[in-house]
Every structure is written in C-alpha cells, then in structure tokens.
C-alpha cells in the first residue's frame, strides 16, 4: 500500500461519503473538502453537481484541476456549465445536499464559531473572520461535515464562546426540529486524529473511528471536552491505491495535501 | 434636448461620499472592488461611514477600517483567504470595540439587501436561529411566521446612500456590463439610492446594445479606471496581485502589533502620495500590472 | 390647427405630465399610455427610462416605432440597452415613477377592478382577466394614472365590486399612509370626455378639465357616481402641431389612435 | 461510470404528471409555453391539477381549464391581449365556480414562488393591502411586521411538484439556455421539486459551455420539441400565431355560449387526433410554421 498523509486520508474518507448525483460546493482555502468533492466526482460521482468558485462545473473530460488560492478565481469558467452565485438569490440552499464547515472553535454538540472568543466586558479577546455562509447553510443543507485541520483542546471545546453555525445546540432532543431548520445538521466531524459522529440521544460527539496509529488516549488528551470512546472503536479505512492515484494525478497534482 | 452622459472624473465621484454615509461596496471577497474610489475615501480620511462589504469582503474594508473611516461594519467575512485569514485592522478594531459590527452571514446580509431593494421593511430567514447572531445583532428579531407559526428571524431593510462597484465596461449612459460574475452588484445597486461604478473601459452605446442581456444595471455615475480593482481581480482581465495583498496584510498586521513602519510606508506610497488612480498605477508599475494576466 | 382624435388628445395630455429622467413602462394592448410615454420620450424626455415589453430601450436614433400586439414581443430587443422583467425580482417597483392602470370598473375614489363583478351567492356575474401587476404597482409606484378608453356609467361606478388596485379606498383621510403604501396613488384619471383629479380632502374624483366640445352635463350623465364639477372648469389643452407630427410620424405611424 | 443523459421522449415526460398534482407553467402571457406537454395533458384529460400560470398566463391555461384538467388556478392574468381580452373557458369556469382561483397579482405570485424556492414559509409584500385580495384568497394573511409594526401581507410558500418550461436549447445533461427572456422560468424551476423543459434544439455540451452565463438552470428532464411553443412565440425564432390564437379564442368563446361545433372541431384536429407533437405540427402545416419568422 502506498504511503499517504493524514490530509489525504481525510479527503479520501470524506469522498466515500458522497453519493453520485449530489450537489456539493468546493470552497477555496479549504483544501481537504475541495479534494474530497473532486475525488468523489472523478471516482464515483459523474452526475454530481460540483460548485467550484462561482461556477457549476463538470470535469468528466478534465485531466487535472488547478488549485485555487482565491474563491472568486475566474479560471474554473473554462469548465463551467453555468454561473452560480448562491447568496444573491436566497435560493436553493435547502436543496444543497452537502456542505463543509470549520471554525475557530468546535464544540461537543457540533456547534462551530467563526465569530470570536469573548473577553472581558463584552469585548472579544480573539475576533474571527466572520460567519461567511455557514450560519444559513448549516441550518438548511441536508447534511454537513465539520472538517478540522488541527486537533487541539483549544479548538475542540465544551461550549463555543459564540455559535455562528448551529450543530445540535445544547443537546436538547429535537432542537433543530423545534427551530424548524430543514437541514439535518452535522453528520460527521473529521480531524487529523479521528472521525467523530454524534450520539443519537445526547447529540454529543463520540469517536466513530480512529485513524491508523492513533490511540484513544491521544484523542482524549487533545480534545477539550469529555469525549465518549466506544469500547470497540473502528479504524478509519485508509486510502486505496486507486483513490491515491486519482487524488495525486487529477485532483491535487501540486501536492497541497501531501504535507 | 440631448441625452446626458453620466461619466465624471474621480474627484467628482469622491465628492458624492460624505462623512457619516452608509455605503455598500461591490465585488466578492478578492474580486472586483472599486479600489480607485475606496483608496480615495481612505486618502481623504472620510469619517463615520457605515460600510456594507457585500456579501463577504476582503482587505478593501480592512483598509477603510485602518484609515479610521468606519463606524459600523456589515459583512459576513473580512479577509483575503490564503493571503490573510483575517483583516488585521478589522480584527484589532473589533477586539478594541472601535467599530460596531452588524453580525451576519452572507444570506442574512443578502436578505437585508433584498428587503431594502424590494421596499419591504424586512425579510424572513431561517439561518441564525439558535446561534449567537440575534444576541450580537439587535437588529435581527426572532418572530413567529403569521401563517404556520414557525420560528424565523426577521432581517430589517437598511437605507443605503451609495453603492460603489467595479465592472468591465459601461457606456456613457451608465449601462454596466460584466465579463464574469457580477456577484451582488446588481442587488446593492437596487438597494442603494445611487450607484457609482468604476469601469475598465468606456464602450459605445452600440457595443452595449449588442447584448442587452449582459447589462447588469444602469449606474447613475460612471468613472473610467483601468485596472481599477487592483490589487483585487477583475474577471476576464487580471487576477489578484497576491504579492501586493501579502505586502498589505503584513504591514497592517505589524502595525496592529505596534510596529508601524511598514504600514506608514504603504500608506504613504499607495494611499497618500498618488494624486489620482493613474498615479497609483504608476507606483504599482507597468511590469507588475501586466504580470497579472488571468490565464 | 390639425384635426385630431380623442385618443390622440389623451396621449398628448398624458405625455405632457411626464418629466425627463422618469422611468415609465409601455404595456401592450394599452395604446394610449404607450403613445404618451413614447411621445414624451421623443419630445422632452431623452433621459427617460422606457420599459418596452421585456426591455429597457432608448429610442433617440429611432425614426419610427412599430405597434406591438403582444407584451412579450421580442422585437424591441433591437433597441434594448438592458433586459427587464420586473415581477421576477420583487425589485425596484417602489422606484418606478409612473404607471398606468385600467379596469372593468373604476370608482369614485380611484379604485380599480380587474377581478370581476360579484353576482349571487359569492359567484361572479362577470369575471375579469386578473390583476396583472396592478395591485402592487398601484401600491408602490410614485404616482399613477387611470386611463379609460370609454366613459360609461357601468365603467365609472360609486364603488368597485372587487378592488384589485387600491386608489384611495373609501376616502378615509390618510388611508394609504396608514397602510404604509409608499406610492402616492392615482394622480389623474383620463377618459374620452375629461380629465379627473382627486379632491385633496375627500379623495373623490372631480373634473379637472373637459375635453374640447364636451359639456359638464355629458360627464354627469355618463358617470355612474356623483361627480363634482367646479364652477370654473378648464378645457383640456388640445394637441399641438408638433405633438401630432411626432405622434403620427414616429410613435403611431399605423394610426392606432386615429380612430 | 458515465454521466447520464436526461433527454426523454414526449410520452415519458407526460407520464411524470399525474392527476391532482401542482404544476407550474413557464413563459409569460403569449411567450414560451411548453405546448407539446400542455397539449399532451389536455389530450390525456388529466384531472384535478393545481396550475400555476406564471406570472401572467395565456390561453394555454384556458385550454387546460376547457379540457377539465384544472381544480385550482394561480395566475395574475388569463388572456391573450389583442387576440382575447380574457380566456373564455377560464371566464366561464370562474363564473360558475367550477375552479378555485388563488387570487393574486404578478408580484404576489412571484413572492409565493420566491418563498417556496428559498425554503421559507412566507414572504412579505405591501401590495394587496386595502384590496379585495385578502378577502378572496384566504392564504394571504395580513400581519404586522415584527420590527417596525407596519401592516403587510404574508404570502405563503406552496409546494410545486413539476415545473414545465420551454426554452431555445439544452444539452443532454439538462443545462438550459434561452435566446431571449427566460421570464420566471428560473424561479419556478427553483421552486419546484422537478423540472421538465421542452427545447427547440438539443445542442452539444461544448456549445453550452461556450457561454455558461447564459445557462438559466439545470432541468431534470429534457424533451426535444421544435416549434414546441406554437401557437405562442419563442424569442429569437418565431412570433405568436395570431390567427391560430384567434381561431382558438373564437371556438372557445362560442363553446361557452352553447355552440360547441367549432370547439369540437378544434379539439379533434389539434388536441385529440395528433398522436404526438410532430403530428400536431403536421396539422398546423409547414407553410404556417415558416410564416411566423420573427422580424
């Protein structure tokens, strides 16, 4: 089996959870989900609608995709079937199948924070960049994934200082339904150490699988909230040779995920 | 009687924007900002602006914050992605409470613009329930919809004095066309009392009429500004000047940490010394400008 | 002075009330307002935004304009500066300066009815074609004109059976303001006999001017509501030679208004 | 794995529409109706439809009413302007109470579609206050806006099973492009669960990608139907068949007055006998079709 980086592992794992025909968008500066969507499109999703920057593209005849530094990059225009600029219309979000979220804090109930961390007297001790589109998309997209490029106790906290995208709130059963949010909420959270899912009753994160070579103790040590680890925990299935080959040759020729 | 041209020079356009106004900036993140006007406002040290950086903004808003122009900020994001995860002056001003932030995401800001453009007092959205947004932004009101009694968030309309956009071309009557994406520019145009658009080229009315479906809106004021979006991109012509954005981000970051030398130098060279947009482009230099070819 | 038809008189009178720079739309199958807008554009409104079908056109270099049978006619595309399809966006209506309304009933307070006339047991004895865009435009356009191609007691009634476009309701002072409608309501109503305006206190129609040769008695006889006729009533100013020349040569070469 | 084509034949498309469904018809007044499908529904005497004739409809809706397909009708207008001030069957059915009418104007119907497309339970509008609409249409609720307490009308969202549109071209993957105006077709597409689009021509995916900004939406089902909008117009290709519309309007009017002969003849010749769209076009005749050249 070929050697692989943990980012490649994360991308391959996320790709497998995408279904042909789904509608998924690829952001810029969020390389793991980008790779996951493109990999799924190339391996088993020819009928996926792929949002790339401000376009919907189909890449069936495309050998290699360039990496974009900026979301608004015009170059995917060459593969575009239509132009797409969602926030403008208020439209179609609830028809989005899948979406990816990150944050400066991620809490035990899958809430995320891009706003900031409160300090003294109502001010911020750390201000984040802003919610982008996550507040609404987390509310309405059919499902979403939380993707963390690091796994530290400062990132994974018991409670977000400010919630910008609602996961399962404080864990109140049926909270999302009570708020009439059409989206199902976060399905998984993937980190460099493990995959979390959400306990169906408590809505708290628990370990779904550990990446190869990662111990339960390491996850406990690096997570800022008390985390449930089932007795029999799976190992995250590593990338196959085929996946790695498509990933490296067509999706990520520049090797952004290899380090 | 003759039909009037709406083309004016840079100074005349800048004169339309006064202290305390609410302005909406076009483009999206690192694409298509009317930098000739925005730099002009920074250079004039206009005060007390409410700035809508629609729908997600970049360092053009950070520049206005850094030059003390902004009282209130409305944007779903202020940063430049790979070149700067967050606008440095924005971060510092937010942390020190120097500016008010109208907390929102892109869809909530779009709902505010839609309500304003449509002339209704508010628009309902679902996103934001259960988050910190209604607590942080007192303008957002939770309510029950009058038909099904579902919980919703009401996003109010907001009067906007001037929309400021950058596009590929326009004719002398203000018909504006884009080569690429116009993002929310048409929406802020409709929401605002008046629109100033800087364009790469003035074209003939005949050229505009060749494809009327391409006309995004009719602006009240047009200013010709080639490379007017630099250091941001203009679809179909040039990409972001990544080095310039990095230079800005580094200088601004150091300034927020107490070392003002690089920022003072940036400010002098690119904002305060150039007497107009073309003088700014001379500072950037022909070799740099022509290195930004898109493909 | 050249001879003219009453429709030509109506078009010329309406044209004079349009101001350069205003935004006015030209419908199909509503020939008098169409002619008024185009005439104003040619004579004193080079900076008007003229909505013609689904386009915004500028006709400064156009010698003659064809008559359209159908609103959606694609041919004004040849003069278009932009495509325009208002109802889609919910946008900009409140920025529309001027609008023209007709009806199967027009009442004393400037309300109009395109819906139908109620019969027995909640049914219609006469069903109209529907409100088109009039309900909203009458609420929000800065001002509007009611244009009647006939003047009969059946058309001009004390009270509309069903109001599709609100004028001044039942005359309650400040009603439009109370309903927070941004538009000023109907400014004038023009008919083949006269021009009505609205009494500033009662909001009822009263005769503003009589067309040349029309007697007050004729208006009273042909109006289904009690109509105020001021003691000193003006005569509607007839078309000038210049107006008629532009109207006949450039706006209406086919003579739709001449009969 | 291969990407799937979404092109189907006429019968397969018609099979997707069943008794009792809510359908939204594209086009506007006398332009761009998917007449191949609409005639097919009339021919099959589909029952109990809720029909949205957006935003103002023409005699295509009248035909469905005349053939007994319609239970509930949502449109701001049913007529053909110069050719028929009002749809005859619509008028009679409205007067006899045979159909329910969801009373609205174009902006209220657009608000309903916007709410549906955006996934919010309602949209607020100003027009309609003080009129007969809230009394005639119980779905419209007067309420006070939660921020400024202004009176407004809440227009509810409405689930739509199928949008049925006609366009100039599409590729085999359902990317639809128009030469002229798409009117509300993109909006009803977004509001509906699925979209069937008939097109004048199938073009290559490469042709579509030549101008992705022209793509109006991606339809789930494409049917090739040249002259598919006849007797209505298709922008860039052909104008209304005024004589045919007049023939329809006269026959329908006489039928509502008790003389059914002309209508029975029309129905037999144009709706019931032709086994498919091309057989209908044979009835219309090449000479007539090619007389409808636009300019």
């Amino acid at each position: 089996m070929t050697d692989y980086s943990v980012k490649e592992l994360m991308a391959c794992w996320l790709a497998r959870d995408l279904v042909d025909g789904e509608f998924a968008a690829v952001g810029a500066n969020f390389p793991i989900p980008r790779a996951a969507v493109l990999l799924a499109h190339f391996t088993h999703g020819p009928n996926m609608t792929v949002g790339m920057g401000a376009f919907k593209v189909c890449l069936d005849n495309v050998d290699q995709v360039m990496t974009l530094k900026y979301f608004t990059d015009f170059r995917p225009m060459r593969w575009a079937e239509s132009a797409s600029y969602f926030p403008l219309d208020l439209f179609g979000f609830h028809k989005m199948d899948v979406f990816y979220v990150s944050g400066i804090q991620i809490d035990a109930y899958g809430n995320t924070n891009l706003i900031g961390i409160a300090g003294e007297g109502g001010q911020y001790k750390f201000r984040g960049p802003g919610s982008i589109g996550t507040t609404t998309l987390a509310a309405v997209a059919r499902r979403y994934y939380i993707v963390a490029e690091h796994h530290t106790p400062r990132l994974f906290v018991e409670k977000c200082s400010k919630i910008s995208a609602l996961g399962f709130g404080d864990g109140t059963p049926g909270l999302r339904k009570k708020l009439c949010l059409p989206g199902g909420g976060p399905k998984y959270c993937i980190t460099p150490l493990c995959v979390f899912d959400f306990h169906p009753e408590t809505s708290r994160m628990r370990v779904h699988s550990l990446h190869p070579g990662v111990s339960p103790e390491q996850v406990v040590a690096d997570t800022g909230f008390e985390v449930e680890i089932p007795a029999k925990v799976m190992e995250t299935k590593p990338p196959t040779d085929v996946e790695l080959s498509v990933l490296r040759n067509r999706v990520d020729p520049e090797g952004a995920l290899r380090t | 009687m003759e039909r009037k041209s709406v083309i004016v020079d840079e100074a005349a356009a800048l004169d339309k924007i006064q202290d305390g106004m609410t302005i909406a900036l076009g483009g999206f993140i690192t694409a298509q900002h009317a930098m000739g006007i925005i730099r002009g406002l920074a250079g004039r040290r206009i005060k007390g602006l409410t700035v809508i950086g629609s729908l997600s903004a970049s360092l053009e808003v950070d520049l206005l914050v850094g030059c003390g122009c902004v009282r209130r900020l409305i944007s779903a994001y202020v940063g430049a992605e790979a070149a700067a995860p967050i606008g440095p002056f924005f971060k510092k001003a937010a942390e020190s409470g120097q500016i008010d932030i109208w907390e929102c995401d892109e869809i909530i800001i779009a709902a505010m613009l839609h309500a304003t453009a449509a002339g209704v007092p508010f628009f309902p959205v679902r996103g934001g329930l259960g988050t910190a947004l209604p607590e942080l932004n007192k303008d957002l009101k939770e309510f029950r919809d009058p038909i099904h009694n579902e919980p919703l968030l009401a996003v109010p309309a907001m009067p906007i004095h001037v929309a400021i956009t950058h596009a590929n071309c326009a004719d002398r009557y203000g018909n504006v066309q884009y080569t690429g994406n116009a993002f929310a520019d048409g929406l802020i145009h409709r929401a605002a009392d008046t629109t100033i658009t800087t364009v790469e080229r003035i074209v003939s009315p005949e050229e505009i009429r060749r494809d009327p479906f391409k006309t995004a809106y009719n602006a009240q004021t047009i200013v010709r500004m080639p490379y007017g979006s630099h250091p941001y991109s203009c679809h179909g012509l040039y990409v972001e000047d990544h080095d310039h954005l990095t230079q800005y981000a580094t200088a601004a970051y150091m300034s927020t940490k107490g070392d003002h030398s690089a920022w003072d130098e940036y400010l002098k060279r690119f904002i305060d010394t150039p007497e107009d947009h073309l003088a700014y482009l001379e500072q950037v230099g022909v070799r740099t400008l022509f290195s930004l070819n898109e493909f």
Side-chain angles (χ1 to χ4, degrees), chain A, chain B:
Chain A
M1 190 192 294
T2 322
D3 229 29
Y4 57 85
S5 75
V6 69
K7 286 181 184 166
E8 289 178 326
L9 168 75
M10 291 166 72
C12 291
W13 191 90
L14 286 169
R16 287 179 216 131
D17 217 48
L18 289 165
V19 178
D20 190 27
E22 290 193 316
F23 174 17
V26 169
N29 208 23
F30 204 10
I32 295 168
R34 169 190 176 278
V37 171
L38 295 176
L39 181 58
H41 183 41
F42 284 134
T43 55
H44 63 275
N47 297 292
M48 282 174 67
T49 301
V50 176
M52 190 182 237
F55 298 99
K56 287 183 187 166
V57 300
C58 179
L59 305 169
D60 49 2
N61 293 314
V62 178
D63 276 343
Q64 279 193 351
V65 184
M66 84 284 274
T67 301
L68 307 180
K69 269 205 194 71
Y70 299 103
F71 176 85
T72 58
D73 199 310
F74 193 52
R75 290 172 298 165
M77 163 84 174
R78 71 189 68 189
W79 306 310
E81 296 184 340
S82 64
S84 160
Y85 182 60
F86 273 53
L88 183 56
D89 292 322
L90 306 169
F91 285 140
F93 292 105
H94 58 304
K95 291 188 178 172
M96 198 165 221
D97 294 300
V98 57
F99 184 61
Y100 301 91
V101 173
S102 190
I104 57 173
Q105 291 182 319
I106 298 165
D107 77 19
Y109 295 99
N111 306 299
T112 46
N113 176 8
L114 281 166
I115 296 174
I117 297 168
E120 312 270 299
Q123 297 203 334
Y124 293 109
K125 73 177 174 211
F126 182 92
R127 169 71 209 195
S131 308
I132 330 173
T134 63
T135 309
T136 298
L137 279 166
V140 303
R142 295 218 166 102
R143 70 182 188 280
Y144 70 92
Y145 301 86
I146 302 169
V147 180
E149 292 196 17
H150 309 281
H151 194 138
T152 68
R154 282 182 59 176
L155 181 59
F156 284 91
V157 296
E158 175 60 32
K159 193 173 183 313
C160 285
S161 174
K162 306 284 175 195
I163 296 175
S164 50
L166 182 71
F168 297 110
D170 58 2
T172 304
L175 175 68
R176 294 182 65 95
K177 205 159 184 178
K178 217 182 91 199
L179 295 174
C180 296
L181 303 181
K187 183 178 177 190
Y188 292 112
C189 170
I190 189 165
T191 84
L193 299 183
C194 66
V195 177
F196 290 117
D197 63 7
F198 295 86
H199 191 288
E201 273 151 42
T202 64
S203 293
R204 275 184 77 93
M205 279 195 203
R206 64 177 179 192
V207 174
H208 175 75
S209 65
L210 293 167
H211 299 343
V214 175
S215 69
E217 293 71 27
Q218 192 182 348
V219 172
V220 169
D222 289 350
T223 305
F225 55 81
E226 203 174 313
V227 57
E228 179 188 340
I229 305 187
K232 280 188 65 173
V233 68
M234 289 183 291
E235 185 183 83
T236 312
K237 196 190 153 205
T240 65
D241 285 348
V242 170
E243 285 169 340
L244 279 180
S245 156
V246 174
L247 187 64
R248 291 176 181 180
N249 293 319
R250 299 183 69 185
V251 173
D252 182 31
E254 293 151 58
L257 300 188
R258 243 166 289 171
T259 52
Chain B
M1 285 182 79
E2 266 215 29
R3 199 173 176 199
K4 292 182 208 102
S5 166
V6 301
I7 300 170
V8 305
D9 68 20
E10 204 172 315
L14 280 166
D15 288 346
K16 291 174 192 281
I17 301 148
Q18 264 111 54
D19 290 355
M21 277 188 170
T22 297
I23 63 172
L25 307 180
F28 189 60
I29 321 183
T30 58
Q32 284 158 207
H33 299 300
M35 289 310 296
I37 299 295
I38 292 167
R39 264 189 303 271
L41 297 175
R44 290 182 176 202
R45 303 292 193 280
I46 297 285
K47 297 276 172 251
L49 295 176
T50 293
V51 176
I52 299 163
S54 62
L55 303 173
S56 275
S58 191
L59 304 176
E60 89 286 12
V61 161
D62 197 66
L63 171 67
L64 290 174
V65 173
C67 289
C69 306
V70 181
R71 186 185 67 77
R72 194 180 198 205
L73 180 59
I74 298 166
S75 187
Y77 172 81
V78 180
E81 304 182 81
I86 183 168
F89 289 123
F90 160 73
K91 183 170 188 294
K92 192 186 172 200
E95 289 171 356
S96 69
Q98 182 202 317
I99 55 170
D100 290 342
I101 297 174
W102 195 87
E103 206 64 52
C104 60
D105 83 339
E106 288 165 353
I107 293 82
I108 289 171
I109 192 172
M112 176 274 279
L113 293 166
H114 273 266
T116 311
V120 291
F122 81 100
F123 257 40
V125 299
R126 291 194 190 277
L129 295 170
T131 75
L133 268 60
E135 163 211 326
L136 295 170
N137 182 344
K138 298 299 176 200
D139 278 0
L140 306 175
K141 289 253 166 62
E142 293 182 54
F143 77 110
R144 294 270 165 180
D145 98 72
I147 297 176
H148 314 279
N149 201 38
E150 294 183 10
L152 289 167
L153 216 50
V155 182
M158 184 181 298
I160 299 167
H161 297 102
V162 190
I164 304 171
T165 59
H166 181 76
N168 294 66
C169 66
D171 66 11
R172 62 178 173 271
Y173 304 127
N175 294 298
V176 175
Q177 297 190 341
Y178 291 73
T179 301
N181 210 305
F183 301 110
D185 288 9
L187 180 58
I188 64 171
H189 161 74
R190 288 182 293 239
D193 296 342
T194 191
T195 298
I196 299 170
T197 304
T198 64
V199 294
E200 297 286 331
R201 291 177 66 230
I202 306 284
V203 299
S204 67
E206 289 77 8
E207 175 90 10
I208 291 294
R209 292 179 198 188
R210 203 167 276 172
D211 190 356
F213 285 101
K214 271 200 138 14
T215 302
Y217 50 89
N218 186 276
Q220 284 80 8
T221 305
I222 297 288
V223 190
R224 187 168 76 89
M225 285 198 177
Y227 278 85
S229 179
H230 182 273
Y232 303 98
S233 67
C234 186
H235 279 182
L237 289 171
Y238 49 91
V239 297
E240 292 83 358
D241 187 340
H242 184 68
D243 293 343
H244 191 108
L245 291 177
T246 304
Q247 183 191 354
Y248 172 97
T250 308
Y253 177 77
M254 285 163 56
S255 176
T256 64
K257 295 299 171 191
D259 176 355
H260 303 294
S261 55
W263 175 247
D264 288 346
E265 174 56 32
Y266 183 94
L267 204 56
K268 189 175 149 204
R269 180 164 171 210
F270 293 118
I271 307 294
D272 288 339
T273 306
E275 69 273 19
D276 60 14
H277 175 63
L278 293 178
Y280 165 82
L281 293 184
E282 283 168 347
Q283 282 301 316
V284 174
V286 157
R287 192 167 297 271
T288 297
L289 290 178
F290 288 162
S291 74
L292 303 171
N293 186 50
E294 191 172 73
F295 282 90

